[in-house]
Every structure is written in C-alpha cells, then in structure tokens.
Amino acid sequence: MKGKYRRFGIRWKLLACFGAFASVTIILLWLCQNVFLSDIYKQIKIREIKTAYSRIESSIDDGTFAGNAEKIANEYNVCIIVLAQFGSFETVSVDAASYCIIHHTNITGLMKIYNQAMEKDDSIVYYSRLKDSPNVYQSDVNDKDSEQSIVLSGVRAVDGDNAIIFLNSVISPVSATVNTLNTILVYITFALVILSVLLAFVLSQVISKPIISLTRSAQRLAQGDYDAVFTGGGYSEADTLAATLNYAEDELSKVDQLQKELVANISHDLRTPLTMISGYSEMMRDIPSENTPENLQVIIDETERLTSLVNDVLDISKLQSGAQSFEKKRLCITDTVGRAMTRYVKLTSGGYDITYDHGEKKHYIIGDETRVLQVIYNLVNNAVTYTGEDKKVTVSETERGGYIRISVTDTGEGIAEEKLPLIWERYYKVDALHKRSAVGTGLGLSIVRGIMAEHGGRYGVMSTLGAGSTFWVEFPISEE
Ligand code: ADP
C-alpha cells in the first residue's frame, strides 16, 4: 500500500513540474507573438534599412552605386530613390517592395518626406497606409493592423553635387500572422499537456520502480532477513543506494553474528567458573574433609577468572564507546615493563622461563600507566598460555626510528597466516575448540588494539606455525 502511495506522490510531483514548465513556455510564446512580435519585427526592419543606407553611402563614395542599387534593394528588401540635387547625375530608382510610399508620390511629396525626416533624430519617418483608402498614407500613425512604411532619408555629397537618398521598407501588418501563430499555439498547448502527462508517468515509473524494490528488500532486512538482496537498476543513484544498502546489510549481519557469538561466549565463559565455584562450595559444605585450602584456592581462582572476564568485557565496551578516560603522563616504559614482569616471578617456580631483555638506556613514553601495563599483561599472559613445552617466554625492548618496541615471544604452536589479521577482532579465537583457547575470552588482543590506538602506537604479530609467535607493540618515544 505504502509503495503505491509513493508512486502516486512522485507522479503528481513530476506532473506539477512539467505542468509548470509547459505553462511558462506557453506564456512566453504567447507574450512573444502577441506583445513583442510587432516591436521585434519593426526593430529588425529598422536595422535592415540602416544597414542598407550605409551600404548605399559607401557605394556612392566609391562610385559603384548605379550598378549596386538593385542588389542592395533586393538584399534588404527596400525601395530606393536617389536624386541629384543639382542634376549632375541621373536619378536612380529601384521599386522592390510591394507598395512603397516613395514610388507613389511626386517630387513635392518626396521633399516633404525629406523635410520631415530631417526633423527626426534618426532621420526616419513612419507612414501608415490607411485600411479604408489604400492610396492614402498618414505619417506617424502607429496602427498594428495597417501596412506601414519606414522611410529613411539623407543627403550625401558627391562630386560637387548632393545625392538625396530615400529608402523605404514596408512593414506588413503582423495581426494575420499573430492569429495564425495563436491557432498553432493552441495545438502546441494541447501537445505539451499530453506530453507532460506522458513524461510524468514514464519518469515516475522509471524512478519509483527501483525505490519500491529497495523498500521491499529493506522491509525484509528490518525483519532480520540478512539474505535480502538490494537491486538498483534504472539509474546510477539507485545503483549506488543499492550498493550502500548491501554493504550496510553485510555490516549489520556481521554485528548480529558478533552479538550472537558474544552472548554464546560470555554465557559459556561465565558458566564454567560458576559451575566450578558452586560444585566446590557444595562439596565443601557436604563433605567436611574436603574443606581444604586447595579446594578453597580453586574457588578463589575461579572467582578471579570471573572478575577478569567481567573486567575485559567492561574495558572493551568502554574503549569502543570512547567512555574510557586515559590519564597520560610521561613514564619510563623500561621500568613499567620491568614492574609487570615481577608478577610472573611466581611462575618460574612452575618451570616457566620468562626473561626481559633491555638495554642500559631507559626509554620514556607518554601514556596511561595502568593501560600500558594492561597491554603488557595481555601479551605476556597470552604468551604464557600458548607457549610450547619448554615454557619459554621472552620479552624484549628495542628502539626503532622514534618508537620503542616491546616484543613478547613464545615458542608455541604459532598462528596460521590467514588468521593473523583476525586475532585482533573482538571475541575471535583461533580455534574455539582448542583446549587452551577455551581459557580466554577472545577480548585481550582487541583491548590491546584499542589502547594502542589511544596512544598513537602501532602493534603487530609475526608467527611461524610450529615455531611460535612474537607479538609487538610500539609507542612513540618521548624525548627529554
Ligand atoms: P584470548 O583471551 O582468547 O587469549 P585474545 O584476544 O588475547 O583472546 O587472543 C585472540 C586469539 O589469538 C586467541 O584465542 C588465540 O587463539 C590467539 N593467540 C593470541 N596470542 C597467541 C599466542 N601467543 N600464540 C598463539 N595464539 C595466540
């Protein structure tokens, strides 16, 4: 139903646009032919007669006038009479127009016209041929319905004589033409109206078709169907929108997948320690002899695991929402890592060989100590978890091009190359079924990534399957 309304909407809007366009066009055409046509026509005639006049003047000057008069008359559709004031050359007369005044008057009439013209700024006199008595001309009557003559006169000196020039251009009445044009305009109006309706219909169809199909797919997506395919078609904007929506759908489905995994992971990760805690507690309650410090330690360990899991989840959500505040100050990274290493001393009695290699020089960075420690702990914890039979973990500090690099190397199974970019993602575990992986939350490395981004640092991993991995982070060095 909604789709139908939308199509309806576009069609009416387009129809209104085309209607407005057609109306403006028709009004302009009407104005041109009914208001401006006669003026425009008159202006064209005046320009023509003036051009013809200057052609005549120049041909009089170079003595070619007698030969050229006919040509000029035909070219500009004017009648010409040139009189010699002192009779030193012959009168030239070309009667090219249908009924001009200069060829229908005598010399007295011509001189009257000449005198009248001389009083005008542009030397032009207008005559109207009266409708009722066609042989009578009246000067300076502006009647659209009667035939008009424009007479331009002037004088030009020639070989001791004067050439008195008369040019006459006839303006036919435009009213008949306007009537014809108005009839045509009625047809044009009809054609434009039909064309507007048709165009509005076709265009609205072309525009709305992909929109309706996109809307349908969007409705499917809104109901959680990530298989809905957005297709554009018709025009590039719809294609771009479809591509964008397909991309958004992919991203949404990833987020949805992650969310499902999150619930599954967290509930699984919470359930294991909780089962242990409740199991051990019940056992200690029911069997007094099981009330041993070892069993209590299991409960404490599991509680710690729960705490760290909850902390990790809180950290990652704070890092992602930007709610995590960093208290950065200048700190000695060499000492900070050294301090972190003391936490692992206890492990050495369990057969672990954990070393920290660093030079004499101490390095400084600008950072939040708690967060920097968290990065080191996460990397070393992973190394301890995943290292090989020899239980060897090496932490080292090296300086490289303005950055201080902390590397954590283990001798474990390593990570397949195609998995390397993924391990930094939230909740990603290389092999969820792997016994050791089940221990982690899959959040540690994405917390490292978030903290490193906040410190303008870099991070990475080099790993060889079967030989071990080296995780590294680099902080910009803060010089004194
Ligand atoms: P987890 O809490 O599961 O360790 P992490 O984000 O720290 O989560 O690590 C993501 C995954 O990367 C781990 O599940 C593990 O499969 C892999 N990984 C991390 N560190 C190492 C390592 N040193 N050696 C081998 N695999 C590792």
Side-chain angles (χ1 to χ4, degrees), residues 337 341 352-358 379-380 383-384 387 390-397 406-411 469-472:
V337 178
M341 299 317 291
Y352 280 91
D353 174 10
I354 304 174
T355 51
Y356 175 34
D357 302 336
H358 58 92
L379 295 185
V380 180
V384 168
T387 195
D390 60 0
K391 299 190 170 181
K392 200 170 154 56
V393 173
T394 313
V395 181
S396 62
E397 182 191 278
I406 309 291
S407 314
V408 182
T409 307
D410 64 67
T411 57
S469 318
T470 298
F471 282 79
W472 57 265

Side-chain angles (χ1 to χ4, degrees), residues 239-276:
D239 290 340
T240 316
L241 178 60
T244 313
L245 286 170
N246 280 325
Y247 174 73
E249 184 180 45
D250 278 354
E251 292 298 304
L252 273 177
S253 94
K254 274 190 212 157
V255 171
D256 192 57
Q257 185 63 24
L258 272 178
Q259 217 163 0
K260 282 181 186 146
E261 277 172 23
L262 163 82
V263 175
N265 280 339
I266 295 205
S267 47
H268 173 265
D269 291 338
L270 288 176
R271 207 179 303 127
T272 320
L274 283 175
T275 316
M276 295 278 272

Side-chain angles (χ1 to χ4, degrees), residues 312 378-387 408-410 412-415 419 422-432 434 436-448 461 463 468-471:
D312 273 3
N378 282 355
L379 295 185
V380 180
N381 285 349
N382 277 351
V384 168
T385 312
Y386 296 103
T387 195
V408 182
T409 307
D410 64 67
E413 289 173 12
I415 306 162
K419 306 272 170 67
L422 303 172
I423 56 173
W424 306 92
E425 298 295 328
R426 280 169 302 161
Y427 302 109
Y428 184 81
K429 295 179 184 182
V430 170
D431 181 3
H434 192 275
R436 278 176 175 173
S437 294
V439 178
T441 55
L443 287 173
L445 289 180
S446 64
I447 292 176
V448 169
V461 57
S463 190
S469 318
T470 298
F471 282 79

Side-chain angles (χ1 to χ4, degrees), residues 298-360:
V298 172
I299 295 177
I300 292 169
D301 287 349
E302 292 303 320
T303 318
E304 270 174 12
R305 233 180 99 187
L306 272 181
T307 313
S308 86
L309 171 69
V310 172
N311 282 343
D312 273 3
V313 173
L314 283 178
D315 278 349
I316 199 80
S317 66
K318 272 196 216 156
L319 275 171
Q320 271 173 351
S321 63
Q324 181 85 285
S325 62
F326 284 78
E327 280 165 33
K328 288 186 195 157
K329 60 178 191 338
R330 193 160 187 272
L331 58 95
C332 175
I333 181 80
T334 319
D335 288 349
T336 309
V337 178
R339 231 181 354 268
M341 299 317 291
T342 57
R343 186 170 162 177
Y344 298 96
V345 170
K346 221 172 62 185
L347 287 178
T348 47
S349 55
Y352 280 91
D353 174 10
I354 304 174
T355 51
Y356 175 34
D357 302 336
H358 58 92
E360 285 290 303

